[in-house]
Amino acid sequence: QVHLVESGGGLVQAGGSLRLSCAAASGTLFSINDMGWYRQSPGMQRDVVATITIGGRTNYADSVKGRFTISRDNAKNMVYLQMNSLKPEDTAVYYCKAEGGGYEGGKYYPPQAYWGQGTQVTVSS
């Protein structure tokens, strides 16, 4: 299975920057494919922010294009989200997501989505 741990959230003023990191831990027989960042505000659904394939192809929500950059280090099983020109409406809990599958403990796990615990990002006006 894949265990995800996010870090880097916090409080920042509008116009500032933050960099989120997500470490993915899995067994040696597990493959991690697409990864991404999602966010959820109170009372709202969880929405995609940015995704990145194992080959590095990226996709962004319109609201963050030109301000956020997603990247990954496949050797370290890390995914990052550089957030610049932050706005109060970017305030949310940010979640890391990874899709992976493989063998662990002699059991086969088909490809599925795994989520981190989330990290709070608060942008003050």
Side-chain angles (χ1 to χ4, degrees):
Q1 304 183 66
V2 181
H3 302 278
L4 302 170
V5 178
E6 302 103 333
S7 60
L11 173 64
V12 65
Q13 288 188 332
S17 298
L18 282 174
R19 187 185 192 224
L20 304 183
S21 299
C22 174
S26 66
T28 56
L29 298 180
F30 242 75
S31 295
I32 297 174
N33 301 313
D34 294 354
M35 301 185 78
W37 290 94
Y38 292 69
R39 66 187 181 187
Q40 187 170 21
S41 301
M44 304 293 287
Q45 68 179 19
R46 190 174 298 185
D47 291 326
V48 61
V49 176
T51 60
I52 185 167
T53 68
I54 192 170
R57 188 172 70 249
T58 59
N59 193 35
Y60 296 91
D62 288 342
S63 59
V64 306
K65 283 181 180 177
R67 300 188 297 123
F68 291 10
T69 302
I70 188 171
S71 60
R72 66 188 289 173
D73 184 333
N74 291 332
K76 297 180 180 179
N77 278 343
M78 297 285 297
V79 64
Y80 308 96
L81 186 68
Q82 178 66 44
M83 304 185 294
N84 299 327
S85 302
L86 282 161
K87 304 175 181 179
E89 51 263 43
D90 294 319
T91 296
V93 177
Y94 284 70
Y95 296 90
C96 175
K97 176 186 175 183
E99 296 180 359
Y103 289 90
E104 184 176 288
K107 180 180 177 181
Y108 176 68
Y109 292 85
Q112 60 185 291
Y114 295 88
W115 293 89
Q117 83 287 351
T119 184
Q120 177 71 46
V121 171
T122 302
V123 184
S124 63
S125 57

